[in-house]
Amino acid sequence: MEFTAKEHGFVAHLSYGDLHVSGDEQYGFRPFQLLVSSIAVCGAGVLRKVLEKMRMPCSDMKVTADVERNEDKANRVEKIHLHYVITGEQLQADKVKKAIDLARKNCPMAQSVEGSILITETFELVS
């Protein structure tokens, strides 16, 4: 990826479209938003695949991310809590818990920040 400076941030021209990144969200996505989005969406995508392999396909999934940042250390991201709302017909809570653990271990983005950002997860099932 190549990022080019613009007046209020940077832009990358990618195959899907332009990605505008800025410390001011009037001009683009803030870097921490992209970091958290990458972890949340990667984890949810892997979770969907794991649930399918466990023969528990979901018909819908939503994930919310609560972020804790440390203002004393450059406002770094220290904790991300992901909450999954999973809709499906044959979902079993104990198996979904195992699937979430397996998804975290196989999510490249979560593994990339392992040891530096604490990631926790909860879920609720909707039928």
Side-chain angles (χ1 to χ4, degrees):
M1 291 194 297
E2 181 177 283
F3 295 88
T4 304
K6 58 181 192 169
E7 184 177 354
H8 296 286
F10 291 82
V11 63
H13 304 290
L14 306 172
S15 59
Y16 187 74
D18 291 348
L19 176 63
H20 296 268
V21 183
S22 174
D24 182 341
E25 62 185 78
Q26 291 182 42
Y27 302 103
F29 295 102
R30 295 181 63 202
F32 93 92
Q33 292 170 325
L34 295 170
L35 173 71
V36 174
S37 297
S38 295
I39 292 167
V41 173
C42 181
V46 174
L47 177 57
R48 285 184 74 148
K49 289 179 184 176
V50 171
L51 289 171
E52 287 175 12
K53 287 182 180 182
M54 295 175 78
R55 295 188 172 99
M56 292 190 303
C58 62
S59 57
D60 191 34
M61 181 184 299
K62 295 179 183 169
V63 59
T64 57
D66 292 317
V67 182
E68 190 174 307
R69 299 177 74 184
N70 186 335
E71 291 180 12
D72 295 332
K73 293 191 176 182
N75 213 15
R76 77 179 192 179
V77 174
E78 292 196 339
K79 296 179 185 177
I80 300 172
H81 177 76
L82 303 175
H83 181 74
Y84 299 99
V85 178
I86 306 167
T87 303
E89 293 299 319
Q90 300 178 15
L91 300 171
Q92 298 171 29
D94 58 332
K95 289 184 178 181
V96 170
K97 170 71 173 112
K98 289 178 185 176
I100 288 172
D101 292 340
L102 190 58
R104 184 182 336 104
K105 291 176 185 171
N106 288 284
C107 169
M109 296 299 98
Q111 289 303 304
S112 294
V113 299
E114 178 80 20
S116 60
I117 297 175
L118 175 64
I119 300 173
T120 58
E121 297 115 339
T122 53
F123 67 94
E124 60 187 279
L125 303 177
V126 180
S127 54

